[in-house]
Amino acid sequence: MINFEIDGKPVSVPKNGTVMDGANQLGIYIPHFCYHKKLSIAANCRMCLVQVEKAPKPLPACATPAMEGMKVFTHSGQAVTAQKGVMEFLLINHPLDCPICDQGGECQLQDLAVGYGASSSRYTEAKRVVANKNLGPLISTDMTRCIHCTRCVRFGQEIAGIMELGMVGRGEHSEILAFVGKTVDSELSGNVIDLCPVGALVSKPFRYSARTWELSRRKSISPHCGLGSNLIVQIKQNRVMRVLPRENEEINECWLSDKDRFSYEGLNSEERLTKPMIKQGGVWQECDWQTALEFVANGLKDVKEKYGAESIGALGSAHSTLEELYLLQKLVRGLGSESVDHRVRQSDFRADSQMQGAPWLGMPIAEISQLKSLLVIGSTLRKDHPLLAHRIRQAVKHGAELNVINPIDDDLLTKVRNRAIVAPDKMISMLAEVLKAIAELKGVEIPDDAKNALSTVSASDTARAMAISLSDNKPAAIFIGNLAQHHPRYTDICKLAQHIAQISDIRFGVLGEAANSVGAYIAGAVPFDNRFGNRNADIAGDRHGGQGANASQMLGMDDAASGTGCKAYILLNLEPELDCYNTQRAVRTLAAADLVVMMSAYKSHAAIQDNYADVLLPIAPFTETSGTFISTEGRVQGFNGVVAPLGETRPAWKVLRVLGNILQLDGFDYETSEQVRADVLPAGNDVSAWLNSSLGSLAVNPIEAGKENKGSVGLQRIGEVPIYQADLIVRRAESLQRTRDAAAPLAWMPGSLMAQLGLQTEEVIRLKQGEGEVQLPVAQDDKLPANCIRVASAHPSTAALGGMFDQITVEKS
Amino acid sequence: MLSAESLKKIDYELTKYPADQKQSAVMSALAIAQDEKGWLTTETMDFVAEYLDMPSIAVYEVATFYTMYNLQPIGKYKITVCTNLPCALSGANEAVAHFREKLGIGFNETTTDGKFTLKEGECMGACGDAPVLLVNNKRMCSFMSNDKIDQLLEDLSK
């Protein structure tokens, strides 16, 4: 530690600490623009000049290393004169347009100009003007205001991992821009808006819509990815105007992904459903809540009488709150059915009976940065978990080894130590090879339940390298990504990963797909007994023993369940034509049902046009209801509604409660969402005892399982969920939909396959799965494994296709 | 994009730096690319960026910072005359006036036949030889009297 003095107060900072660090510790404010605690030191704004005893001239506090016995004065005559001088220079070229600048009211330059600027300028020459740049649909520019602090440039290099902005030219001609004709496409790009200390980079969707002092700030939690980012939602006149990060060092630090930041536009979408709607005689009509709820209750009763309780099923998305999902399953179980699920994109449910707890990350998010080695299996990491990917990038920067087993090879913007880019069906054998290698390395027996399956496997060099990386570097972890969770052999992936983790004594976890992926298990939104080891014996209310139908069976999605299905469905926060593993079969199954109740914040076009729904109940999105999300690290985060529900919208937990009352079910007498939560969670809200990604004893299926060996070379679909299609809100966020990440899906395939099929880039082809087909242009991606076609799911233009990882056929059109 | 010969030169430059710090060679790579192409197009800079495994914007930063990289098409010969004080005191302004008269162009302009581009330069570190000028960034010419300028233009025009 180095001891020194700032303004007469003693302070000590670690070796390599700066004067700025000491000042921050003491709570002494030193004016600054380019300094940011999360970015490297540039010292190019010179605003933080301070006086240092025995130094001949003022020194920048951010870049001056603390020295033993140093005496620093931040408000002495010399320091203030220097700061005023810098401010005068900064203001020379800065326009005096605060009244029309979006940053006005939250502008560091404006604030500091009040303290350090003169009341008028001595500068009479012409000011410079810099042309504005088009940085895409999210960031609006006013480059004349730029003071060249280069925070945005450093953010790209150091945090986003991709340098999209740079400072070109020199001296007075220097300006910030993206390379000729390029836009800023990083999934973290919105953070430069917060970083910009002036109004040069501002939010395009928010621009000119409100002044910052008119906005109220309310706390909330992100409803998108499993991270559970903390938000500040800013509202004006009962409307969400903007979303900013709420700093939480353990979760999102001071960042937000663009999805979290800009998805609020979806909340104000014109597609919002504001009144209940019933389809009568094939015609949709608006009605009041009483009518709608009675219609639903009668419908459910009819189905129960006619076909039995087990023909009622409920599916809730894991973007719903803990309370909503709990009441949903309570309602269905109260009616006598066990068929309730949230895993609509999952296709392999073999492990259901062997789950030991809710699958979770396996470690706190903050500890990811300290990992020394990790293996990510099947994930579009940057797009599914933008800020987790950032944590992993930081870990790699500090020496961690990243290993990847994936069917796609998108740039992770970081060094990948070992990569195995293999077809989806080969991911199992790749993992098996790693297990074999690690068992050989450690000199242990392969666990019994994998022994049979691994008898024919021999480890490749890549597998051996991965095994060495995982066992030689501690701490290490294995993460199972979204692609792997949707994989038709998810159970085997899970089980193999679990064995690898056990043998090498490292962490193993599942990357939560949605904000409440962990919470959905704990709420009981699964068709099996989730009383993990009887620890939360009463959580799911009434039990009927035995198993209900899972999502796949309910929607007739897998081959075995094809043609089956329930007679009545309650869908919560779901658009089945986009949100399911096999959208084609899901929609067909729903269309054959007697009653489909959709609880949704949106008037889904498909529900109305495809005509599978019978009732639409308008429920509140996360900003209009109180609730709880349990993040992928098992953190319980409650939040309140920030605005009143739109129109006749009601919070879903209230709708379900009233529905429970109308159906005369027991235990639906809740007054507040807190009471519901108290029923689900133990006192103190500590759910750590229920978190466990491991599976019980379950044999791994033979590695080269039947299907793929048979006969002709089948083409496999790799159907990832695009970043801005993952849930209902983000699908309707207009600006995000104009980004490059939201571009319409293409049929990506390797050049070898294009040659084999005689296809050219951009040629429109017909893709077929089951009875559905779509037409898409071909695009070339030589990094894809052979015989694979990457066709995004969850997009209207591919909704007619079948399973996300099933076989697909191609025809010229 | 670049000829095999240029690539060979860039590869040689790369041997001077550690393998994981290829971007250290960006200045030489741009100079080599410019020698071949005459000026740096967006595509050329993109190519260099990809070749050196660095973001295109970082290449662009370098290319725009240094004045000897040409970001616009120029004539076959770029004549950069130093007009800083020592040169100006020793007749640089007369030299520039002579160029203007002979070539019919001012600074940053190119003759219609595409042969010559005239540029204003900063100190080239040879004040004892003033006035000095550079031909195509590489060839330094000293004591540029009007006669010597005529001679130079004649040689280059051949």
Side-chain angles (χ1 to χ4, degrees), chain A residues 153 163-170 177-180 182, chain B residues 20 42 45-46 55-58 60-61 64-67:
Chain A
V153 178
M163 187 181 176
E164 293 180 298
L165 290 169
M167 185 151 81
V168 307
R170 69 156 108 170
L177 47 80
F179 192 57
V180 188
K182 293 209 177 144
Chain B
D20 61 338
T42 309
M45 288 186 277
D46 247 342
S56 356
I57 182 70
Y60 196 55
E61 280 186 336
T64 52
F65 188 86
Y66 295 101
T67 51

